[in-house]
Amino acid sequence: MTDAPTARRRLGWILAAVFAVAMLLGAGPGILLVNQPSTWFGLPRLYVWGMLWCTVEIIVVVTAYLLVWQTNDEAST
C-alpha cells in the first residue's frame, strides 16, 4: 500500500502533465485543429475550444488545491 505523500506526489505530476497539455492545446498548435468557420453548440468553434481547455485547467487547479497542495499535518487529520 502506498503512503499518502507518495500518492499525492504522483497525482501532482499527473495534474501537472494534464495542465501542460491543456496549455499547449488551448492556446498553441491545438488552435489550428479547430480554426474553421463553423460552429459547435451555436458558438464559433474556436471559442468553444478555448472554453473547453480553460475548463480543464480550472478542474486541474481545483483538484490540486483539494488533494495535492496540503502539508503533511493537514493530510494526516
Side-chain angles (χ1 to χ4, degrees), residues 33-49 51:
L33 297 172
V34 295
N35 195 10
Q36 299 170 2
S38 60
T39 61
W40 285 344
F41 310 112
L43 292 169
R45 202 179 233 193
L46 196 58
Y47 290 169
V48 176
W49 183 259
M51 288 188 297

Side-chain angles (χ1 to χ4, degrees), residues 17-73:
V18 170
F19 193 86
V21 168
M23 289 290 293
L24 181 68
L25 288 175
I31 289 176
L32 298 176
L33 297 172
V34 295
N35 195 10
Q36 299 170 2
S38 60
T39 61
W40 285 344
F41 310 112
L43 292 169
R45 202 179 233 193
L46 196 58
Y47 290 169
V48 176
W49 183 259
M51 288 188 297
L52 167 79
W53 289 110
C54 189
T55 303
V56 169
E57 292 168 7
I58 290 169
I59 290 170
V60 166
V61 169
V62 169
T63 303
Y65 173 75
L66 294 174
L67 301 177
V68 178
W69 297 334
Q70 301 175 12
T71 63
N72 288 334
D73 296 334

